Amino acid sequence: MDEKKIFEKRWQLATSEQRARFDKLLSSYPAIEWTYKEKKYLLWLCQLDLDTFITFEVIFEKYKNSYQRET
């Protein structure tokens, strides 16, 4: 099964809260063109419990800030 179909299947199974987290996460990085493989893993992150997800958001924010300082 290709990555797009896997993502779409997982998207259908995601709750509205998980979809909202996913949309928020992607909108935080508008310059990135996400592949379906990457989207699949990001959706998986959004399906984790809230504390784990928040931890990943903090890590992504630190990465984003360090990347912006480099460019």
Side-chain angles (χ1 to χ4, degrees):
M1 190 179 308
D2 72 358
E3 298 297 334
K4 182 178 179 180
K5 287 182 182 179
I6 293 170
F7 171 78
E8 289 171 348
K9 187 173 186 175
R10 290 184 181 178
W11 182 257
Q12 291 174 351
L13 298 173
T15 65
S16 58
E17 183 179 317
Q18 293 165 343
R19 290 179 182 190
R21 286 186 206 159
F22 176 84
D23 290 338
K24 181 181 175 200
L25 184 59
L26 260 60
S27 68
S28 296
Y29 304 93
I32 297 175
E33 299 244 354
W34 301 99
T35 65
Y36 279 102
K37 183 175 185 176
E38 293 165 334
K39 287 180 179 181
K40 179 180 74 171
Y41 287 114
L42 291 172
L43 182 58
W44 172 79
L45 288 174
C46 296
Q47 292 171 327
L48 297 173
D49 66 272
L50 190 56
D51 291 335
T52 304
F53 178 75
I54 290 170
T55 301
F56 276 106
E57 279 189 317
V58 170
I59 293 168
F60 287 149
E61 190 62 33
K62 286 182 180 182
Y63 178 76
K64 179 181 169 184
N65 291 337
S66 69
Y67 177 77
Q68 288 175 343
R69 280 187 249 145
E70 291 176 9
T71 57

